[in-house]
Amino acid sequence: MKIKITLILFALLLALSVLPALAQDDAAQSHTVSYDGFSFTFDSAFASNVNITQYAGDPAEFGVGFAEVQHTAFTFYDQFPAPESWFDAKGGIRVYNTADFAGYEAYPERLAQLQTLIAEQSDLSQFMIGGTESELALPFLPTLAAAQVIRARAQVVETEDVMGISYISIYQQAQEPFLANSFFYTFQGVSKDGVHYISVLFPVTTTYFPTEIGADFNMESFQAGFVDYVGESIATLNAAAPEDFTPSLATLDALIATFAFRQ
């Protein structure tokens, strides 16, 4: 009887010693998605699911600068049903064929601007200043019905198959205070053969900004100092650590680093 009890206790102890290791392995699990020659790998802690959708695109004459070029979209999310908007999901990746840009407003210009920045290894700090002038805007697709009011942590990024830039941004239709959840991380890149354009958007939050506008907020005085406010906000974002954002910018950078194209 003593031998039997000892064996049972040993089995229980062995099981308990294995469980933490299994949990750690599961937490560190990564997933690789490959579709139409494009692939990437992401940590399961970042998102539970990815939806793949092919958009037929709008006619080039649709809208004034807001016609959407056909593309493949990868949407990250946790809970069902899957959100349709980037801003309602964990984020997303769009992959375009650059040959499809012909005839569309803004798309060829954004592509040319991005290729110039990459080819010249431009100093992106010149864009990280206060102001909403169009010449300060870094490349971003698709076209949004708002102004790019901030560009922070801008850097050139290169993988084996892709070259591009990543940065933190906000788009607004009016001069308003930045809140903790106003920001998004983006990567805008081109495959090294020039065939594909990759646009990434992941909403991020940071505790360096308030969660809501204070009761004593004065819009008139705020807008009078808006340019300085933008500059100070950029400095704050640039000085923050990757872990000061949710999700961590290190997690997003790691995802971008896995982008690859294969025939």
Side-chain angles (χ1 to χ4, degrees):
M1 180 63 71
K2 289 184 179 179
I3 295 176
K4 185 175 181 180
I5 292 174
T6 301
L7 289 174
I8 292 173
L9 289 174
F10 176 78
L12 287 173
L13 289 172
L14 180 61
L16 289 173
S17 67
V18 170
L19 283 175
L22 291 175
Q24 290 173 1
D25 289 343
D26 183 65
Q29 184 179 8
S30 62
H31 302 291
T32 297
V33 176
S34 181
Y35 186 80
D36 277 358
F38 174 65
S39 66
F40 59 86
T41 300
F42 67 98
D43 194 313
S44 60
F46 170 64
S48 302
N49 306 291
V50 178
N51 266 15
I52 303 174
T53 309
Q54 289 187 313
Y55 286 90
D58 304 313
E61 64 275 8
F62 176 81
V64 182
F66 298 107
E68 179 62 283
V69 175
Q70 64 178 340
H71 62 275
T72 301
F74 302 83
T75 304
F76 295 78
Y77 65 102
D78 287 329
Q79 303 298 324
F80 290 96
E84 294 186 7
S85 168
W86 282 0
F87 293 96
D88 296 329
K90 288 290 191 75
I93 303 168
R94 295 187 180 192
V95 179
Y96 302 87
N97 290 329
T98 55
D100 295 331
F101 287 4
Y104 283 82
E105 188 176 346
Y107 282 80
E109 290 83 358
R110 300 289 188 278
L111 171 61
Q113 181 191 10
L114 179 60
Q115 290 175 321
T116 298
L117 291 174
I118 294 170
E120 297 179 355
Q121 292 290 297
S122 299
D123 178 10
L124 300 183
S125 64
Q126 63 182 304
F127 300 95
M128 292 187 284
I129 59 176
T132 58
E133 295 84 354
S134 59
E135 59 266 23
L136 292 177
L138 286 170
F140 183 85
L141 289 176
T143 304
L144 301 180
Q148 185 186 99
V149 298
I150 197 169
R151 297 146 298 277
R153 308 181 74 93
Q155 61 180 345
V156 174
V157 177
E158 180 177 8
T159 73
E160 182 178 349
D161 295 336
V162 175
M163 283 285 290
I165 61 173
S166 66
Y167 58 97
I168 299 294
S169 188
I170 291 176
Y171 274 75
Q172 289 182 336
Q173 294 179 327
Q175 294 180 347
E176 298 175 339
F178 306 149
L179 300 179
N181 62 352
S182 297
F183 305 93
F184 67 84
Y185 167 105
T186 186
F187 170 79
Q188 303 288 308
V190 183
S191 59
K192 290 187 175 179
D193 59 9
V195 173
H196 303 283
Y197 187 106
I198 309 95
S199 178
V200 170
L201 185 151
F202 291 110
V204 295
T205 60
T206 176
T207 56
Y208 282 101
F209 291 81
T211 57
E212 59 184 16
I213 299 174
D216 58 347
F217 173 73
N218 184 287
M219 179 64 78
E220 184 176 349
S221 61
F222 170 78
Q223 292 183 336
F226 186 71
V227 172
D228 290 339
Y229 171 76
V230 171
E232 293 166 1
S233 298
I234 291 172
T236 297
L237 294 168
N238 286 345
E243 295 75 23
D244 292 330
F245 298 84
T246 304
S248 169
L249 301 186
T251 298
L252 303 181
D253 287 341
L255 188 157
I256 304 303
T258 67
F259 285 1
F261 286 94
R262 296 291 182 267
Q263 298 296 329

